[in-house]
Amino acid sequence: MTQNSQLAALSAAGVSVWLDDLSRDRLTSGNLAELIATRSVVGVTTNPTIFQKALEKGHAYDAQLRELAGRGADVDAVIRTVTTDDVRNACDLFTAAWEASDGVDGRVSIEVDPRLAHETEKTVAQAVELWKIVDRPNLYIKIPATKAGLPAITAVLAEGISVNVTLIFSVERHREVMDAYLAGLEAARAAGHDLSKIHSVASFFVSRVDTEIDARLEKLGTADASALRGQAGLANARLAYAAYEEVFGGERFAALAGHGARVQRPLWASTGVKNPDYPDTLYVTELVAANTVNTMPEPTMEAVADHGTVTGDTIAGTAAASQQIFDRLAAVGIDLADVFAVLESEGVEKFEASWGELLDATSAQLQAAK
């Protein structure tokens, strides 16, 4: 098997290709291994919605559910066991990528219970628990970038645990996340941890920004508003990359880098295009830069493989133009602070709802297995 040329070009340009999906079927059928071999996939991200869909589809989990039911396991224990088993097995599949990249890639993420998104101490406790249960060095613990999540991120990193910070929508929050990361590294160093072993990505959501802002632009209905449709998501991400370059080119990180610290890479999440009027590869080919990750749903990955055009860096030198787009959005009446507040709130609510559906579905399957 050979790597697809477009996705290989993306990797060569400095973008790590990660799959935004995981299921036992992907693991046992060889599908994930095939994507590693043919689609340059070097990591996987998961979330409650992904696990909920995986558990409800097919019969891959039936035998384990029957065995757990026979042991009298409750719903929370079943979900914890099933999801951590999948993530551990995926981590093992990515061991070669992890070793080849000196720990940068070959990563698999598992998210803390989204019901804890506004509870710092419980988030920290569960992050430590998940890290111990999976027991793999190429694991990422996903923690949402809520206000309560920020100190949790610092505390978990201080324990020497690698973190994928999720649900970042604004550049302002991204800066707070980077600050939390640096604070975590400083605390980890004080505690005697090897900073070179601690890794992190900052998952910056893209398409949802366009979906929310486009709806507001359409409601305004003016020519100036309509001219801005489909531009906010890319501009926002490009400004986030500029902030990343500023922070990790600064003195605070330089002091940590001298002790082996790694940068916190920007990760482009929510890269499936929601609007059929836009190119289906938009949030991949237009967000190419070194030291980034793009986590894609499989249809987006296949679109890039089929007809994506990778021409190298598409972010360098775009900060000023991106800021102009945001200035124009504000000028036509878009309340950007409200946009980002709504997106964060909805993001947490969606994951909580998926977790609730996961609990209900698992409960029903446990009853059926008894």
Side-chain angles (χ1 to χ4, degrees):
M1 289 186 284
T2 57
Q3 295 289 1
N4 171 268
S5 58
Q6 284 88 340
L7 289 164
L10 194 63
S11 295
V15 182
S16 294
V17 177
W18 290 8
L19 176 69
D20 192 24
D21 192 42
L22 180 64
S23 67
R24 191 154 298 178
D25 280 335
R26 284 196 187 276
L27 289 163
T28 58
S29 68
N31 168 264
L32 185 54
E34 183 179 347
L35 292 176
I36 292 170
T38 65
R39 294 294 184 264
S40 298
V41 172
V42 291
V44 161
T45 52
T46 65
N47 60 46
T49 302
I50 287 170
F51 275 128
Q52 178 247 324
K53 290 178 179 177
L55 278 161
E56 286 191 326
K57 181 181 178 182
H59 303 283
Y61 299 94
D62 289 358
Q64 187 174 23
L65 286 169
R66 283 194 298 271
E67 189 266 332
L68 290 168
R71 283 199 267 145
D74 63 20
V75 175
D76 285 317
V78 168
I79 292 172
R80 184 168 56 250
T81 300
V82 168
T83 56
T84 54
D85 281 358
D86 279 1
V87 167
R88 186 183 305 106
N89 290 332
C91 283
D92 290 344
L93 190 59
F94 280 106
T95 297
W98 178 73
E99 292 175 344
S101 63
D102 190 25
V104 173
D105 283 312
R107 294 279 172 173
V108 184
S109 300
I110 189 169
E111 189 154 350
V112 296
D113 185 334
R115 295 172 297 181
L116 305 180
H118 302 295
E119 299 189 55
T120 302
E121 293 181 3
K122 290 182 179 180
T123 293
V124 174
Q126 189 174 96
V128 172
E129 178 188 32
L130 289 170
W131 181 259
K132 290 178 179 177
I133 291 172
V134 176
D135 192 27
R136 292 295 185 272
N138 52 331
L139 178 69
Y140 267 139
I141 304 296
K142 286 181 84 172
I143 299 175
T146 57
K147 281 295 186 182
L150 294 171
I153 292 159
T154 296
V156 171
L157 288 161
E159 295 291 330
I161 296 171
S162 295
V163 174
N164 175 344
V165 184
T166 189
L167 287 179
I168 307 171
F169 294 98
S170 70
V171 176
E172 179 183 8
R173 183 55 55 86
H174 182 214
R175 286 184 176 277
E176 292 177 308
V177 165
M178 290 187 286
D179 182 72
Y181 174 64
L182 295 176
L185 291 183
E186 288 160 352
R189 179 176 172 245
H193 290 290
D194 180 353
L195 298 190
S196 70
K197 305 298 184 185
I198 303 172
H199 291 252
S200 184
V201 290
S203 295
F204 203 86
F205 282 52
V206 187
S207 68
R208 293 190 196 180
V209 173
D210 271 338
T211 299
E212 178 67 23
I213 289 181
D214 280 2
R216 297 186 185 211
L217 290 169
E218 288 169 13
K219 190 174 181 180
L220 288 170
T222 65
D224 287 345
S226 296
L228 289 165
R229 290 175 68 252
Q231 298 188 55
L234 291 178
N236 198 35
R238 288 166 171 172
L239 288 171
Y241 190 81
Y244 151 79
E245 289 187 305
E246 176 192 325
V247 170
F248 289 100
E251 293 182 3
R252 186 180 180 190
F253 177 70
L256 291 163
H259 296 277
R262 315 293 189 114
V263 298
Q264 182 185 53
R265 292 189 295 168
L267 179 153
W268 312 129
S270 182
T271 56
V273 176
K274 309 293 194 296
N275 190 329
D277 293 338
Y278 303 156
D280 54 4
T281 62
L282 180 67
Y283 304 124
V284 179
T285 59
E286 296 304 314
L287 289 175
V288 177
N291 291 323
T292 60
V293 179
N294 196 305
T295 180
M296 309 174 207
E298 192 170 16
T300 300
M301 186 177 294
E302 290 305 317
V304 175
D306 180 65
H307 53 266
T309 302
V310 179
T311 57
D313 193 322
T314 51
I315 293 181
T318 62
S322 297
Q323 185 58 53
Q324 287 178 0
I325 289 170
F326 268 60
D327 292 343
R328 289 169 61 195
L329 287 166
V332 299
I334 299 298
D335 184 342
L336 293 166
D338 183 67
V339 166
F340 297 132
V342 166
L343 287 170
E344 180 180 302
S345 177
E346 287 183 350
V348 172
E349 288 173 3
K350 286 176 181 177
F351 281 168
E352 285 180 344
S354 292
W355 195 264
E357 292 171 10
L358 177 58
L359 289 168
D360 291 343
T362 304
S363 179
Q365 290 176 17
L366 274 177
Q367 289 300 318
K370 289 180 179 179

